[in-house]
């Protein structure tokens, strides 16, 4: 596989609804797409970095800079044996895993297309369809939250994830339980709490939650370990897991019982597979989270979620959950909480490049 040309594009894409978490909200997204050309094919990747550094220090603009200045020039013209090796020339770059993942995942798509196999096959996926859940942002009132949940349950989603923060947590979740009964329910705090909130968090043990995701700081493993030792409800780590080493540390310290693997956060699909394998050996459940991706990133997440260790429905969701119109064809749809994985080569969906170029905010082309 030879990396002959790389194209960077940024497009604006508005979410159907404002999406709020404990650290802020999103509506108008700046989507960075990366296309890698080689051997008569093109592979697509997406950078999941947000517009501001509330989730990660990486942002849309820092990712563009790192890709254009360091990563792409280093890999251009290279001939890696596989997509898993494409980032070898930039091992010296510290961090910036979201930027690295955008190119690495595009290379996986390219390799799968050159071999004429679906990406899930190249990854070693064990299934052709995936159970999916949905993530619901913070709502102003319980009634607004109930309406969202009802709509998603009618659509058939297999897991309901609700964003929480101090003041919108225990009472709200208890109201959901009273209204909807024993639905598969979890809470996501996005680091909104501290260990001093232990009494408040212990109250959630009575609600039968699947898990509490990332309750404490993104870089705090010791306090998560202390909290997990006091809670019956499993803690799931998200922002804390940026690499295999992070996952090993969390498991060693018993900081969690579940890990959310987002390929764009951990540096790509090869790193995701290693974390998956590590967790399988340790008997720790994993699932695939979402980061408000377009259909390009969604396709990669769906392929990853076919690996056997992904036993919890992921936040993959169908295209219309987030976008009035996605940038891939066909768009991702769901039936009874199940999404079939496209069976075409690579990510299995066609990228609407004509529409993308019509919306273009900026573009950069790199040729070997």
């Amino acid at each position: 596989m030879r990396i002959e040309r790389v194209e960077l594009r940024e497009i604006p894409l508005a979410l159907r609804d404002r999406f709020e978490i404990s650290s802020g909200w999103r509506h108008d997204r700046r989507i960075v797409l990366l296309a890698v050309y080689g051997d008569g094919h093109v592979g697509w990747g997406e950078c999941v970095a947000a517009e501001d550094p509330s989730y990660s220090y990486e942002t849309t603009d820092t990712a563009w800079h790192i890709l254009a200045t360091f990563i792409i020039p280093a890999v251009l013209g290279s001939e890696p044996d596989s997509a898993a090796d494409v980032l070898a020339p930039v091992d010296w770059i510290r961090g910036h895993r979201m930027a690295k993942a955008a190119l690495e995942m595009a290379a996986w798509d390219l390799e799968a297309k050159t071999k004429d196999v679906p990406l899930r096959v190249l990854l070693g996926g064990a299934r052709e369809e995936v159970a999916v859940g949905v993530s619901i942002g913070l709502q102003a009132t319980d009634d607004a939250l109930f309406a969202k949940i009802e709509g998603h349950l009618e659509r058939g989603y297999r897991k309901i994830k609700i964003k929480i923060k101090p003041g919108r947590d225990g009472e709200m979740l208890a109201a959901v339980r009273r209204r909807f009964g024993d639905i598969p329910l979890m809470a996501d705090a996005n680091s909104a709490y501290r260990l001093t909130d232990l009494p408040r968090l212990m109250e959630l043990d009575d609600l039968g939650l699947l898990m509490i995701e990332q309750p404490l700081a993104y870089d705090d493993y010791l306090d998560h370990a202390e909290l997990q030792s006091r809670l019956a409800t499993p803690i799931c780590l998200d922002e804390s897991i940026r690499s295999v080493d992070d996952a090993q540390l969390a498991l060693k310290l018993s900081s969690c019982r579940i890990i959310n693997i987002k390929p764009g956060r951990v540096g790509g699909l090869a790193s995701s597979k290693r974390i998956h394998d590590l967790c399988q050996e340790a008997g720790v459940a994993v699932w695939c989270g979402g980061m408000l991706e377009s259909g390009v990133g969604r396709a990669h997440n769906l392929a990853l979620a076919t690996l056997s260790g992904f036993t919890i429905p992921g936040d993959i969701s169908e295209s219309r959950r987030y976008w009035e119109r996605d940038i891939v064809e066909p768009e991702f749809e769901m039936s009874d909480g199940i999404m079939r994985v496209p069976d075409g080569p690579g990510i299995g969906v066609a990228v609407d490049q004509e529409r993308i170029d019509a919306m273009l905010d900026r573009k950069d082309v790199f040729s070997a």
Side-chain angles (χ1 to χ4, degrees):
M1 180 173 63
R2 175 175 164 79
I3 309 300
E4 299 168 1
R5 187 166 92 252
V6 179
E7 296 178 357
L8 266 179
R9 291 177 173 84
E10 183 188 320
I11 61 170
L13 208 58
L15 292 161
R16 290 170 63 106
D17 301 297
R18 164 176 160 143
F19 190 83
E20 183 176 349
I21 66 175
S22 61
S23 58
W25 57 274
R26 301 269 180 261
H27 187 270
D28 296 314
R29 295 282 287 118
R30 295 169 59 194
I31 303 289
V32 173
L33 301 169
L34 189 148
V36 176
Y37 292 78
D39 303 320
H41 298 278
V42 56
W44 287 88
E46 177 175 345
C47 182
V48 300
E51 294 77 8
D52 61 51
S54 57
Y55 179 89
S56 164
Y57 67 86
E58 291 189 77
T59 68
T60 309
D61 291 320
T62 66
W64 186 285
H65 169 66
I66 293 295
L67 280 162
T69 307
F70 300 106
I71 297 176
I72 295 173
V75 304
L76 206 58
S78 65
E79 299 184 22
D81 292 334
S82 69
D85 305 314
V86 72
L87 293 176
V90 293
D91 279 347
W92 59 274
I93 297 177
R94 296 188 182 187
H96 297 283
R97 292 179 178 87
M98 294 178 180
K100 292 174 180 177
L103 188 136
E104 193 253 21
M105 293 164 75
W108 276 92
D109 184 31
L110 178 64
E111 181 180 354
K113 287 172 177 171
T114 61
K115 294 179 176 178
D116 196 30
V117 298
L119 177 58
R120 66 168 183 83
V121 172
L122 187 62
L123 287 169
R127 56 181 75 95
E128 298 179 358
E129 57 185 26
V130 171
V132 295
V134 67
S135 178
I136 302 176
L138 286 161
Q139 305 296 309
T141 66
D142 287 355
D143 286 342
L145 176 61
F146 296 162
K148 291 281 188 184
I149 294 172
E150 286 173 356
H152 293 316
L153 291 175
E154 288 173 2
R155 289 294 303 155
Y157 281 104
R158 301 292 183 92
K159 181 194 72 183
I160 301 293
K161 179 169 90 171
I162 298 175
K163 298 290 185 176
I164 63 171
K165 67 178 182 179
R168 291 291 288 161
D169 45 26
E171 291 184 5
M172 176 184 70
L173 292 170
V176 170
R177 273 287 181 236
R178 289 193 297 270
R179 179 69 173 266
F180 296 99
D182 193 27
I183 61 172
L185 183 66
M186 63 170 285
D188 183 8
N190 292 110
S191 300
Y193 299 86
R194 296 295 177 265
L195 195 56
T196 51
D197 295 307
L198 178 61
R200 178 193 295 267
L201 293 169
M202 289 182 69
E203 292 175 1
L204 303 185
D205 265 345
D206 296 330
L207 298 175
L209 300 177
L210 295 174
M211 68 191 86
I212 303 170
E213 186 177 2
Q214 199 66 46
L216 309 180
Y218 76 95
D219 57 353
D220 195 323
Y221 301 91
L222 289 176
D223 280 359
H224 271 113
E226 174 63 19
L227 178 62
Q228 182 64 95
S229 73
R230 305 287 295 276
L231 291 181
T233 306
I235 288 174
C236 169
L237 290 184
D238 173 8
E239 291 97 317
S240 295
I241 308 300
R242 296 150 296 183
S243 66
V244 179
D245 289 343
D246 287 342
Q248 288 177 325
L249 177 60
L251 297 182
K252 179 70 173 179
L253 296 176
S254 299
S255 301
C256 63
R257 296 178 191 156
I258 300 173
I259 286 179
N260 174 351
I261 302 178
K262 296 176 179 175
R265 188 195 67 232
V266 302
L269 292 169
S271 177
S272 297
K273 280 172 57 68
R274 290 195 293 271
I275 295 171
H276 164 274
D277 294 347
L278 172 70
C279 290
Q280 267 202 319
E281 292 175 6
V284 170
V286 300
W287 58 284
C288 184
M291 297 191 68
L292 303 180
E293 295 98 338
S294 76
V296 173
R298 199 167 307 280
H300 283 278
N301 290 351
L302 188 59
L304 177 67
T306 65
L307 297 180
S308 60
F310 286 86
T311 56
I312 299 171
D315 292 344
I316 297 172
S317 305
E318 52 191 351
S319 293
R320 75 179 193 175
R321 161 71 180 94
Y322 294 111
W323 316 111
E324 291 288 350
R325 180 184 171 191
D326 209 336
I327 60 171
V328 299
E329 298 176 350
E331 296 192 359
F332 288 98
E333 297 181 345
M334 179 190 67
S335 177
D336 193 28
I338 297 294
M339 192 176 293
R340 285 199 60 81
V341 185
D343 56 9
I347 59 175
V349 291
V351 177
D352 190 346
Q353 193 165 333
E354 182 176 339
R355 178 170 175 249
I356 289 170
D357 286 340
M359 296 191 294
L360 208 59
D361 275 345
R362 55 176 164 168
K363 178 180 178 179
D364 211 343
V365 179
F366 306 81
S367 299

